[in-house]
Amino acid sequence: MIKRLLISISLATSLFGTQVTPIQTNPIQGNINIEKMVENRDIRELEELAINNPYMADINFMIGVYYMAGDKIKNVEPNFEKAIKHLTKDENNLAMANYKIAEIYYYGGFGAKQDLEKSIQYFTKSLNQEFKDYKSVAPLSLLAISNIYLEKLYDYEKAVPYLMRAAQEFNKVEAEMTLAFMYYEGKGILKNEIEANYWINKAYFNKDANGDIKAYISNYIEPVNNFNIESDVKNSCGVLRWTVAR
Protein backbone atom coordinates (compact mmCIF):
# COMPACT_ATOMS: atom_id res chain seq x y z
CA MET A 1 0.00 0.00 0.00
CA ILE A 2 1.23 3.49 -0.63
CA LYS A 3 2.49 4.71 2.72
CA ARG A 4 0.87 7.77 4.23
CA LEU A 5 2.23 10.82 2.49
CA LEU A 6 0.45 14.07 3.27
CA ILE A 7 0.41 16.23 0.18
CA SER A 8 2.18 19.22 1.49
CA ILE A 9 3.49 18.50 -1.48
CA SER A 10 7.08 17.46 -1.81
CA LEU A 11 6.36 15.89 -5.16
CA ALA A 12 4.27 18.69 -6.59
CA THR A 13 6.96 21.18 -5.59
CA SER A 14 8.95 19.70 -8.43
CA LEU A 15 6.19 20.22 -10.98
CA PHE A 16 6.76 23.87 -11.70
CA GLY A 17 10.48 23.35 -11.38
CA THR A 18 10.20 20.93 -14.25
CA GLN A 19 8.99 23.73 -16.45
CA VAL A 20 11.23 26.56 -15.47
CA THR A 21 13.38 26.86 -18.56
CA PRO A 22 15.57 29.68 -19.83
CA ILE A 23 13.83 32.09 -22.15
CA GLN A 24 13.64 30.39 -25.51
CA THR A 25 15.56 32.41 -28.08
CA ASN A 26 15.82 30.00 -30.95
CA PRO A 27 12.45 28.75 -32.17
CA ILE A 28 12.96 26.85 -35.41
CA GLN A 29 10.15 26.20 -37.89
CA GLY A 30 10.82 23.79 -40.71
CA ASN A 31 14.34 24.35 -42.03
CA ILE A 32 14.43 28.06 -41.14
CA ASN A 33 16.68 29.11 -38.27
CA ILE A 34 14.92 32.17 -36.89
CA GLU A 35 17.89 33.20 -34.80
CA LYS A 36 20.07 33.46 -37.90
CA MET A 37 17.33 35.46 -39.59
CA VAL A 38 17.28 38.09 -36.86
CA GLU A 39 20.82 38.17 -35.49
CA ASN A 40 22.20 40.99 -37.70
CA ARG A 41 19.12 43.23 -37.56
CA ASP A 42 18.36 45.96 -35.06
CA ILE A 43 15.02 46.09 -33.25
CA ARG A 44 13.36 48.39 -35.79
CA GLU A 45 14.38 46.15 -38.67
CA LEU A 46 12.99 43.18 -36.77
CA GLU A 47 9.67 44.92 -36.21
CA GLU A 48 9.46 45.62 -39.97
CA LEU A 49 10.53 42.07 -40.76
CA ALA A 50 7.69 40.70 -38.63
CA ILE A 51 5.05 42.36 -40.82
CA ASN A 52 3.46 39.92 -43.26
CA ASN A 53 6.30 37.44 -42.83
CA PRO A 54 5.51 33.70 -42.93
CA TYR A 55 7.57 33.40 -39.75
CA MET A 56 6.19 36.50 -38.06
CA ALA A 57 5.01 34.49 -35.02
CA ASP A 58 8.58 33.39 -34.33
CA ILE A 59 10.04 36.80 -35.09
CA ASN A 60 7.58 38.53 -32.78
CA PHE A 61 8.46 35.99 -30.13
CA MET A 62 12.12 36.96 -30.50
CA ILE A 63 11.28 40.68 -30.35
CA GLY A 64 9.22 40.07 -27.22
CA VAL A 65 12.12 38.25 -25.60
CA TYR A 66 14.49 41.11 -26.43
CA TYR A 67 12.12 43.65 -24.87
CA MET A 68 11.48 41.41 -21.89
CA ALA A 69 15.07 41.14 -20.71
CA GLY A 70 16.76 43.87 -22.74
CA ASP A 71 19.60 43.30 -25.17
CA LYS A 72 22.79 45.38 -25.08
CA ILE A 73 23.98 44.27 -28.50
CA LYS A 74 20.76 45.48 -30.14
CA ASN A 75 20.56 48.50 -27.78
CA VAL A 76 17.18 47.38 -26.48
CA GLU A 77 16.11 48.56 -23.05
CA PRO A 78 13.79 46.28 -21.05
CA ASN A 79 10.21 47.26 -21.74
CA PHE A 80 7.56 44.93 -20.35
CA GLU A 81 4.67 46.61 -22.19
CA LYS A 82 6.38 46.24 -25.57
CA ALA A 83 7.32 42.66 -24.70
CA ILE A 84 3.69 41.80 -23.98
CA LYS A 85 2.59 43.56 -27.18
CA HIS A 86 4.82 41.38 -29.35
CA LEU A 87 4.35 38.16 -27.42
CA THR A 88 0.56 38.36 -27.57
CA LYS A 89 -0.20 39.57 -31.09
CA ASP A 90 -3.50 37.87 -31.95
CA GLU A 91 -2.62 37.01 -35.53
CA ASN A 92 0.65 35.24 -34.82
CA ASN A 93 0.65 34.08 -31.23
CA LEU A 94 2.63 31.10 -29.94
CA ALA A 95 1.85 28.90 -26.96
CA MET A 96 5.38 29.49 -25.67
CA ALA A 97 4.82 33.25 -25.74
CA ASN A 98 1.91 32.91 -23.33
CA TYR A 99 3.90 30.45 -21.26
CA LYS A 100 6.75 32.93 -20.81
CA ILE A 101 4.38 35.71 -19.78
CA ALA A 102 2.77 33.35 -17.28
CA GLU A 103 6.20 32.51 -15.93
CA ILE A 104 6.96 36.20 -15.37
CA TYR A 105 3.72 36.72 -13.46
CA TYR A 106 4.44 33.60 -11.41
CA TYR A 107 7.78 34.92 -10.15
CA GLY A 108 7.41 38.66 -10.64
CA GLY A 109 10.12 40.66 -12.38
CA PHE A 110 10.85 42.25 -15.75
CA GLY A 111 8.53 45.10 -14.78
CA ALA A 112 5.66 42.93 -13.53
CA LYS A 113 4.55 42.18 -9.99
CA GLN A 114 3.81 38.63 -8.96
CA ASP A 115 0.21 37.84 -9.87
CA LEU A 116 -0.83 34.19 -9.67
CA GLU A 117 -4.25 34.78 -11.23
CA LYS A 118 -2.65 36.37 -14.29
CA SER A 119 -0.11 33.56 -14.34
CA ILE A 120 -2.92 31.01 -14.51
CA GLN A 121 -4.65 33.12 -17.15
CA TYR A 122 -1.64 33.06 -19.50
CA PHE A 123 -0.81 29.41 -18.82
CA THR A 124 -4.42 28.68 -19.77
CA LYS A 125 -4.11 30.74 -22.97
CA SER A 126 -1.15 28.58 -23.98
CA LEU A 127 -3.47 25.55 -24.05
CA ASN A 128 -5.08 26.63 -27.33
CA GLN A 129 -4.73 23.63 -29.64
CA GLU A 130 -4.46 25.89 -32.68
CA PHE A 131 -0.98 27.01 -31.64
CA LYS A 132 1.64 25.23 -33.72
CA ASP A 133 3.75 24.54 -30.62
CA TYR A 134 0.75 23.33 -28.57
CA LYS A 135 1.97 19.75 -28.08
CA SER A 136 5.33 20.78 -26.66
CA VAL A 137 4.02 23.55 -24.39
CA ALA A 138 0.65 22.24 -23.18
CA PRO A 139 1.99 19.56 -20.80
CA LEU A 140 4.29 22.10 -19.18
CA SER A 141 1.44 24.58 -18.71
CA LEU A 142 -0.88 21.93 -17.28
CA LEU A 143 1.70 20.96 -14.68
CA ALA A 144 2.42 24.60 -13.89
CA ILE A 145 -1.26 25.44 -13.33
CA SER A 146 -1.71 22.39 -11.11
CA ASN A 147 1.31 23.37 -9.09
CA ILE A 148 -0.03 26.89 -8.50
CA TYR A 149 -3.24 25.44 -7.11
CA LEU A 150 -1.39 22.85 -5.02
CA GLU A 151 1.54 24.85 -3.69
CA LYS A 152 0.43 28.47 -3.77
CA LEU A 153 -3.36 28.60 -3.51
CA TYR A 154 -3.87 25.28 -1.65
CA ASP A 155 -6.93 24.50 -3.75
CA TYR A 156 -6.35 20.80 -4.39
CA GLU A 157 -9.69 20.25 -6.11
CA LYS A 158 -8.95 22.80 -8.83
CA ALA A 159 -5.61 21.13 -9.51
CA VAL A 160 -7.19 17.76 -10.33
CA PRO A 161 -8.49 18.40 -13.90
CA TYR A 162 -5.13 19.81 -14.97
CA LEU A 163 -3.28 16.84 -13.49
CA MET A 164 -5.71 14.46 -15.15
CA ARG A 165 -5.21 16.10 -18.52
CA ALA A 166 -1.42 16.09 -18.14
CA ALA A 167 -1.52 12.41 -17.21
CA GLN A 168 -4.11 11.20 -19.72
CA GLU A 169 -3.21 13.28 -22.78
CA PHE A 170 0.54 13.61 -22.30
CA ASN A 171 1.59 10.72 -20.03
CA LYS A 172 3.39 13.08 -17.65
CA VAL A 173 4.89 10.96 -14.89
CA GLU A 174 4.83 13.88 -12.43
CA ALA A 175 1.06 14.16 -12.83
CA GLU A 176 0.57 10.41 -12.45
CA MET A 177 2.55 10.36 -9.19
CA THR A 178 0.71 13.33 -7.78
CA LEU A 179 -2.69 11.88 -8.66
CA ALA A 180 -1.71 8.64 -6.91
CA PHE A 181 -0.90 10.44 -3.68
CA MET A 182 -3.98 12.65 -3.91
CA TYR A 183 -6.26 9.64 -4.39
CA TYR A 184 -4.60 7.86 -1.50
CA GLU A 185 -4.90 10.85 0.84
CA GLY A 186 -8.28 12.03 -0.44
CA LYS A 187 -6.86 15.48 -1.11
CA GLY A 188 -9.02 17.40 -3.59
CA ILE A 189 -10.57 14.16 -4.77
CA LEU A 190 -12.53 11.32 -3.23
CA LYS A 191 -10.18 8.88 -1.48
CA ASN A 192 -9.81 5.77 -3.61
CA GLU A 193 -6.95 3.34 -3.03
CA ILE A 194 -7.64 1.42 -6.23
CA GLU A 195 -7.22 4.61 -8.24
CA ALA A 196 -4.13 5.41 -6.18
CA ASN A 197 -2.70 2.03 -7.08
CA TYR A 198 -3.56 2.52 -10.74
CA TRP A 199 -1.79 5.86 -11.00
CA ILE A 200 1.30 4.89 -9.00
CA ASN A 201 1.78 1.92 -11.30
CA LYS A 202 1.24 4.08 -14.37
CA ALA A 203 3.97 6.35 -13.04
CA TYR A 204 6.37 3.52 -12.20
CA PHE A 205 6.11 1.94 -15.64
CA ASN A 206 6.04 5.26 -17.50
CA LYS A 207 8.77 5.33 -20.14
CA ASP A 208 9.95 8.66 -18.71
CA ALA A 209 10.33 7.31 -15.17
CA ASN A 210 14.07 7.28 -14.51
CA GLY A 211 15.88 5.42 -11.76
CA ASP A 212 15.40 8.21 -9.22
CA ILE A 213 11.64 8.28 -9.84
CA LYS A 214 11.38 4.51 -9.56
CA ALA A 215 13.37 4.57 -6.33
CA TYR A 216 11.17 7.36 -4.98
CA ILE A 217 8.01 5.41 -5.78
CA SER A 218 9.33 2.18 -4.34
CA ASN A 219 9.89 3.92 -1.00
CA TYR A 220 6.13 4.42 -0.76
CA ILE A 221 5.09 0.93 -1.72
CA GLU A 222 4.52 -1.96 0.68
CA PRO A 223 4.22 -5.65 -0.27
CA VAL A 224 1.64 -6.75 -2.79
CA ASN A 225 -0.55 -8.60 -0.28
CA ASN A 226 -1.57 -5.28 1.29
CA PHE A 227 -3.39 -4.27 -1.90
CA ASN A 228 -7.03 -5.20 -2.11
CA ILE A 229 -6.93 -5.87 -5.85
CA GLU A 230 -6.10 -8.85 -8.02
CA SER A 231 -2.72 -9.00 -9.66
CA ASP A 232 -0.46 -11.73 -10.93
CA VAL A 233 2.72 -9.77 -11.47
CA LYS A 234 4.89 -7.93 -8.96
CA ASN A 235 8.37 -6.59 -9.52
CA SER A 236 11.15 -6.59 -6.96
CA CYS A 237 10.22 -3.16 -5.61
CA GLY A 238 6.73 -4.29 -4.72
CA VAL A 239 5.07 -2.26 -7.45
CA LEU A 240 2.07 -3.89 -9.07
CA ARG A 241 1.52 -4.16 -12.76
CA TRP A 242 -2.10 -3.25 -13.36
CA THR A 243 -4.02 -6.29 -14.56
CA VAL A 244 -7.56 -5.55 -13.43
CA ALA A 245 -9.96 -3.67 -15.69
CA ARG A 246 -10.80 -0.33 -14.18
Side-chain angles (χ1 to χ4, degrees), residues 35-244:
E35 188 170 292
K36 290 292 184 181
M37 183 185 293
V38 305
E39 66 180 355
N40 294 319
R41 293 178 166 88
D42 63 27
I43 200 70
R44 290 185 179 179
E45 289 177 314
L46 290 180
E47 289 174 336
E48 291 177 1
L49 182 65
I51 299 173
N52 295 324
N53 188 303
Y55 299 96
M56 61 186 175
D58 306 86
I59 297 169
N60 270 300
F61 180 88
M62 297 289 286
I63 295 172
V65 169
Y66 289 136
Y67 275 124
M68 187 183 297
D71 188 283
K72 291 182 179 180
I73 296 177
K74 294 187 180 298
N75 294 316
V76 178
E77 294 294 325
N79 188 316
F80 186 64
E81 290 184 1
K82 287 186 177 181
I84 295 293
K85 173 185 174 182
H86 284 280
L87 289 172
T88 60
K89 282 182 176 292
D90 291 337
E91 69 273 16
N92 57 18
N93 213 344
L94 291 172
M96 181 55 73
N98 285 292
Y99 180 91
K100 289 303 178 185
I101 297 170
E103 200 173 48
I104 290 173
Y105 279 121
Y106 179 86
Y107 290 108
F110 296 109
K113 294 182 179 179
Q114 185 184 51
D115 188 325
L116 296 179
E117 292 301 325
K118 282 189 176 181
S119 183
I120 291 172
Q121 175 187 340
Y122 280 100
F123 278 130
T124 301
K125 283 184 176 182
S126 74
L127 299 176
N128 186 336
Q129 295 187 21
E130 293 183 3
F131 291 146
K132 59 186 176 183
D133 55 345
Y134 165 77
K135 289 185 178 179
S136 62
V137 176
L140 305 181
S141 293
L142 290 167
L143 291 177
I145 295 170
S146 67
N147 188 67
I148 291 174
Y149 283 124
L150 292 169
E151 284 290 295
K152 298 296 183 180
L153 302 178
Y154 305 105
D155 192 333
Y156 303 122
E157 187 174 352
K158 285 187 178 180
V160 171
Y162 298 101
L163 290 168
M164 281 291 185
R165 188 170 168 188
Q168 293 173 341
E169 292 185 31
F170 298 101
N171 276 334
K172 297 301 292 183
V173 65
E174 304 94 330
E176 293 168 348
M177 292 171 70
T178 305
L179 283 169
F181 296 136
M182 291 178 75
Y183 268 116
Y184 185 75
E185 294 290 338
K187 290 287 185 180
I189 199 166
L190 189 64
K191 181 178 175 68
N192 187 321
E193 291 189 18
I194 292 180
E195 286 291 327
N197 175 80
Y198 171 78
W199 286 110
I200 203 66
N201 282 281
K202 283 275 288 184
Y204 189 89
F205 294 105
N206 189 308
K207 63 180 177 62
D208 294 326
N210 58 30
D212 289 340
I213 290 175
K214 289 180 183 291
Y216 180 87
I217 292 173
S218 67
N219 287 334
Y220 291 95
I221 303 294
E222 292 177 358
V224 61
N225 57 11
N226 285 335
F227 281 95
N228 188 25
I229 67 168
E230 297 176 9
S231 178
D232 57 2
V233 180
K234 178 175 75 71
N235 77 343
S236 59
C237 293
V239 180
L240 299 178
R241 291 184 184 275
W242 186 259
T243 59
V244 179

Side-chain angles (χ1 to χ4, degrees), residues 9-25:
I9 288 184
S10 59
L11 171 66
T13 305
S14 69
L15 294 187
F16 195 79
T18 303
Q19 297 123 95
V20 178
T21 56
I23 292 175
Q24 181 178 339
T25 56

